Amino acid sequence: MDLAACYQLLGLEWGSPLPEIKAAYRRLARQYHPDMHPHNPTAVQAQFVALTHAYEQLLQAQSLPGTTAFPATSEQDQQLKRQAYRNLQPLLRKGRFARAVALIEGLAIRLPDDPEVRQWQAIAYYQWGKSLIDQGHATKAKIYLRKALRTDPHNRTLWAEVEHQVHRLAQVR
């Protein structure tokens, strides 16, 4: 994919600065992330993969001094990350949240500066908190919803979803 197509896919003008690229990617990645569409994750997966590929290409092209791109990781770490993601998805779909959280927390220890891992961790916490509300465990639910916000504090969509769940908690009482 050429750089013009990458900018276009992210909805940006040619030569947009790195902060705009990051903001556009985060917004679109949240929108098209398969975990945010549990009823039909395959429908958005291709778009999510294309967005990620375009974002990585733009990061490589914009390797300017003083910018903070993704930290370099080894091929072994990348394989571990891909495998963890493949294992995480079915765990979340099946409601096996303790295992999903343990898996992603282990990966977060291995790759502490990876924003994708941090986002997956926040999603796992959020999903578990949401499930705990459904089960009537309000105190535990609050703990995991707070963990989700602390893990990915700049994720506006996550904040909105957590706020919605807090309103549900208030209605359950």
Side-chain angles (χ1 to χ4, degrees):
M1 179 182 311
D2 67 346
L3 291 181
C6 293
Y7 280 110
Q8 186 177 18
L9 186 62
L10 292 173
L12 298 169
E13 292 181 17
W14 177 265
S16 294
L18 190 60
E20 285 182 30
I21 293 170
K22 287 183 176 186
Y25 171 73
R26 287 183 61 86
R27 179 179 45 80
L28 292 169
R30 284 190 302 267
Q31 181 180 349
Y32 291 105
H33 199 283
D35 290 343
M36 297 307 285
H37 300 274
H39 300 297
N40 195 3
T42 56
V44 294
Q45 188 166 6
Q47 182 71 13
F48 180 75
V49 169
L51 287 169
T52 302
H53 180 68
Y55 177 59
E56 288 171 353
Q57 275 191 274
L58 289 175
L59 282 180
Q60 288 174 356
Q62 288 221 350
S63 57
L64 301 172
T67 60
T68 55
F70 291 125
T73 56
S74 68
E75 181 58 34
Q76 184 181 12
D77 284 345
Q78 289 299 321
Q79 287 177 347
L80 177 67
K81 183 177 163 182
R82 285 190 294 270
Q83 183 61 41
Y85 183 69
R86 282 192 296 270
N87 291 336
L88 180 66
Q89 289 178 321
L91 290 173
L92 291 174
R93 275 194 294 272
K94 293 176 184 174
R96 301 183 76 184
F97 300 110
R99 285 186 183 230
V101 166
L103 170 71
I104 200 64
E105 284 179 345
L107 188 62
I109 290 169
R110 176 75 180 253
L111 303 170
D113 297 326
D114 191 307
E116 262 186 329
V117 172
R118 197 169 40 250
Q119 186 178 33
W120 299 345
Q121 189 176 12
I123 289 169
Y125 289 147
Y126 167 75
Q127 293 285 344
W128 198 0
K130 185 176 163 185
S131 174
L132 288 167
I133 292 171
D134 294 339
Q135 296 170 15
H137 300 289
T139 306
K140 269 185 153 178
K142 285 181 187 178
I143 291 169
Y144 284 97
L145 293 174
R146 282 189 199 122
K147 278 185 170 190
L149 293 178
R150 278 194 307 262
T151 303
D152 196 2
H154 303 293
N155 187 333
R156 290 184 197 146
T157 304
L158 179 66
W159 277 87
E161 290 294 324
V162 168
E163 187 175 300
H164 175 73
Q165 296 306 321
V166 169
H167 287 298
R168 277 188 58 211
L169 270 173
Q171 292 173 351
V172 170
R173 291 182 182 190

